Amino acid sequence: MAMESQLTIDALENGVIHVRACRAPEIRPMRRAAVHTYSVLAFHLGGRVRVEHRGELELTAGQVHLVPAGDAHRWLTASKADLRGVAFCRSCLPQDRFQELLAPLDRVRRGAFPVVELPTSRQPHVLGLLEELERELSRSSGMLPVVAESLLGLLLAEIVRAAPRDAALPDAPSIVAQALAVIEARCLGPLTLGEVARAVRRSPAYVTTAVKRSTGRSVVAWILEGRLAEARRRLRDTDELVEIIAERVGYADASQFSRLFRRRHGVAPAAWRARERALPRPA
């Protein structure tokens, strides 16, 4: 699929985790592929959906479609479809708690089949977790992020237990998959294009061209998106000074961080925080 036909979707603007219900007739064929800067778990509750994601897939009730950040995909056809999409910023999650839970997404990025079949006996429990996560996000609007993270962890645990572990993988993941994995793991530190290139043993020009061709974004843009997502989380959920947040997301120079944030969001970090906190909170 030619890159110019792809639709690149920006990062989650509000919150680390988002749940969206999608039902027919809202699910329509997509002329262009979508590329997210966040990971997606699509839980299929009913009907049928044909998806293009490393080939054509037909998804039915009880299946979960795993889409790592950067993977191009699109809906082809849908019949009486009903699904819940859980989108989340991977680099914003506590790595010590979530690393093993995210293994199925890592395997998909390396070439594993991107669909997991949930056991029939576990499907009502998973649906309950999805509904509770949706309620929690609506109720607290980010005020209790650890609760939403815990519910996401429980959903990921169900996928880990249901995912086959003995499926063969390609001998080596693609350069793009390797580069995106490095960025997700290290973007909150002092990471550069050159360091990503060294980690995957290719030249900077080769890596950024491959990533841009595959995802529509350069390596530097991917690093920036990861950092800004975590910065938004900290601005919204903590009282840390902007200078401290800048350092925690990889910028030794707070003024550089503020310039990049303003360029992306139209306002300075402190103004963005004030605006977000002034919004009414659901009861």
Side-chain angles (χ1 to χ4, degrees):
M1 183 183 303
M3 190 62 236
E4 57 266 24
S5 69
Q6 290 183 342
L7 172 64
T8 301
I9 307 298
D10 285 337
L12 297 170
E13 292 296 336
N14 295 297
V16 173
I17 306 167
H18 179 70
V19 178
R20 178 187 174 193
C22 298
R23 302 182 181 90
E26 182 182 4
I27 299 176
R28 298 185 180 94
M30 298 166 63
R31 296 183 61 185
R32 298 179 295 172
V35 179
H36 303 297
T37 55
Y38 45 83
S39 299
V40 176
L41 311 172
F43 293 85
H44 289 258
L45 308 178
R48 294 179 178 273
V49 180
R50 274 199 315 121
V51 177
E52 187 174 52
H53 179 198
R54 303 183 185 182
E56 287 193 15
L57 313 170
E58 183 163 324
L59 302 166
T60 57
Q63 295 182 322
V64 188
H65 180 200
L66 280 60
V67 186
D71 268 23
H73 59 287
R74 65 178 177 134
W75 290 329
L76 297 175
T77 61
S79 174
K80 300 179 180 179
D82 182 6
L83 64 89
R84 298 290 187 281
V86 179
F88 60 93
C89 167
R90 174 168 180 161
S91 59
C92 302
L93 297 172
Q95 295 304 303
D96 56 338
R97 289 173 46 207
F98 278 86
Q99 184 173 359
E100 292 185 12
L101 294 173
L102 293 166
L105 278 163
D106 293 335
R107 289 176 60 82
V108 170
R109 180 171 278 163
R110 292 179 57 199
F113 189 59
V115 179
V116 171
E117 186 90 34
L118 295 173
T120 303
S121 62
R122 302 300 295 173
Q123 291 175 23
H125 176 63
V126 169
L127 178 57
L129 289 173
L130 286 167
E131 292 173 343
E132 185 59 33
L133 176 58
E134 195 166 14
R135 282 193 295 267
E136 177 61 31
L137 292 172
S138 174
R139 179 167 52 238
S140 66
S141 190
M143 294 181 69
L144 297 171
V146 69
V147 177
E149 288 176 7
S150 297
L151 289 166
L152 174 61
L154 291 172
L155 287 168
L156 288 166
E158 293 293 328
I159 295 172
V160 168
R161 294 181 181 121
R165 302 192 180 194
D166 55 354
L169 293 173
D171 292 337
S174 70
I175 293 299
V176 173
Q178 292 180 59
L180 293 179
V182 171
I183 292 168
E184 283 181 339
R186 296 169 51 186
C187 68
L188 302 184
L191 185 65
T192 66
L193 166 59
E195 289 167 330
V196 174
R198 283 193 292 275
V200 301
R201 300 181 180 181
R202 292 292 191 278
S203 72
Y206 182 95
V207 174
T208 203
T209 298
V211 170
K212 182 70 178 290
R213 182 178 295 132
S214 178
T215 71
R217 290 177 185 266
S218 68
V219 167
V220 172
W222 274 98
I223 294 171
L224 177 62
E225 287 298 338
R227 290 174 170 177
L228 291 183
E230 173 65 1
R232 290 191 299 269
R233 184 191 73 78
R234 289 180 176 275
L235 286 166
R236 187 181 54 253
D237 298 340
T238 78
D239 293 320
E240 293 174 338
L241 297 174
V242 170
E243 292 79 5
I244 299 299
I245 292 174
E247 183 178 355
R248 293 189 185 280
V249 299
Y251 293 102
D253 183 353
S255 62
Q256 180 191 14
F257 163 69
S258 294
R259 285 196 304 272
L260 292 169
F261 192 97
R262 182 190 290 274
R263 187 182 303 164
R264 177 69 169 76
H265 296 290
V267 294
W272 188 93
R273 169 184 268 165
R275 185 181 68 189
E276 285 294 305
R277 294 188 174 184
L279 295 175
R281 298 285 188 177

